[in-house]
Amino acid sequence: QSALTQPASVSGSPGQSITISCTGTRDDIGTYNFVSWYQQYPGKAPTIIIYEVDKRPSGVSTRFSGSKSGNTASLTISGLQAEDEADYHCCSYGGGSALVFGGGTRLTVL
Amino acid sequence: QVQLQESGPGLVKPSQTLSLTCSVSGDSISSGNYYWSWVRQPAGKGLEWIGRTYISGSTNYNPSLRGRVSMSLNTSKSQFSLKLTSVTAADTAIYYCATITMLGGVPYYFDNWGQGTLVTVSS
């Protein structure tokens, strides 16, 4: 099962919105709505920010939103803040009880 | 909230077996509430799901590692473990233990993570 495809890096200025894409196949993102997103600061473990494509766990800022179209899921961060600078990872269920991650995206807040 | 803590050797020689343990607190490992999972991350790279195990004894592994990986639960010690055989330098990574919440038996998302432990494969 191949890793999901994410851009290596994205950047934006404070207050702007950015979108990170996560492209899979019809065997994972294209079939299942079990797409999740994780935020990871350097030297820290990941934490969940989006699950089931567009649901936010309690305590996660409403500035984070998720969506899906076809084989591609997306994470949008609106009103960028300096504290959003981190790595972001997508993950999808791939059938057969398998899970697959993307390669991760480094977000830089300019 | 489940707390997880990885432990094990930080250095493993090539061709040997990597063994890690994850200690669980905050929930019973027998509760059936979670899949118990391992994820790794090579330096500067993305996350890779290694596999998961459940109190029923069922296990699922990343096909790319199948044949080298095994996982088990120790309910008396509230721990679960990872063994990866025939390691090479490519297995050098930070290894995280994590819980997976399930929905209808399907792995839903990773919700609790350990702090991670660096394992280096080198002679």
Side-chain angles (χ1 to χ4, degrees):
Chain A
Q1 198 153 29
S2 300
L4 307 175
T5 300
Q6 298 181 234
S9 63
V10 298
S11 62
S13 299
Q16 288 185 332
S17 294
I18 63 94
T19 297
I20 299 172
S21 62
C22 172
T23 301
T25 70
R26 61 182 177 184
D27 293 330
D28 38 62
I29 293 177
T31 296
Y32 303 100
N33 285 330
F34 292 116
V35 177
S36 51
W37 290 89
Y38 303 84
Q39 180 187 59
Q40 184 182 30
Y41 292 111
K44 300 294 186 182
T47 59
I48 182 141
I49 53 174
I50 295 287
Y51 67 97
E52 201 175 344
V53 176
D54 58 6
K55 294 180 171 56
R56 277 185 308 275
S58 174
V60 173
S61 172
T62 56
R63 298 186 299 105
F64 293 91
S65 62
S67 62
K68 188 185 92 166
S69 178
N71 298 338
T72 298
S74 298
L75 172 71
T76 298
I77 308 174
S78 58
L80 266 182
Q81 299 179 1
E83 66 199 48
D84 299 329
E85 187 161 292
D87 293 330
Y88 292 86
H89 306 272
C90 62
C91 180
S92 176
Y93 177 62
S97 295
L99 293 163
V100 59
F101 283 100
T105 299
R106 172 68 53 87
L107 169 62
T108 300
V109 180
L110 302 171
Chain B
Q1 185 78 357
V2 176
Q3 290 83 45
L4 305 168
Q5 178 66 59
E6 305 89 351
S7 60
L11 181 64
V12 181
K13 288 182 166 51
S15 81
Q16 294 191 343
T17 297
L18 179 159
S19 296
L20 294 175
T21 297
C22 183
S23 298
V24 179
S25 60
D27 192 8
S28 168
I29 206 167
S30 304
S31 68
N33 291 333
Y34 300 105
Y35 290 123
W36 306 95
S37 182
W38 291 91
V39 176
R40 70 180 183 180
Q41 184 174 33
K45 296 189 178 181
L47 301 168
E48 180 182 28
W49 174 68
I50 298 172
R52 62 167 179 83
T53 187
Y54 189 58
I55 188 57
S56 65
S58 70
T59 55
N60 290 93
Y61 304 129
N62 188 321
S64 70
L65 298 172
R66 196 166 289 158
R68 294 202 297 135
V69 62
S70 63
M71 295 180 186
S72 61
L73 298 177
N74 185 329
T75 55
S76 63
K77 292 186 176 181
S78 199
Q79 295 176 333
F80 62 104
S81 64
L82 165 70
K83 290 189 186 301
L84 184 65
T85 63
S86 304
V87 298
T88 69
D91 295 309
T92 295
I94 294 173
Y95 285 75
Y96 295 99
C97 56
T99 60
I100 302 175
T101 285
M102 64 193 83
L103 183 67
V106 174
Y108 201 15
Y109 57 86
F110 296 87
D111 48 359
N112 300 289
W113 296 73
Q115 65 185 24
T117 187
L118 174 62
V119 178
T120 301
V121 179
S122 175
S123 56

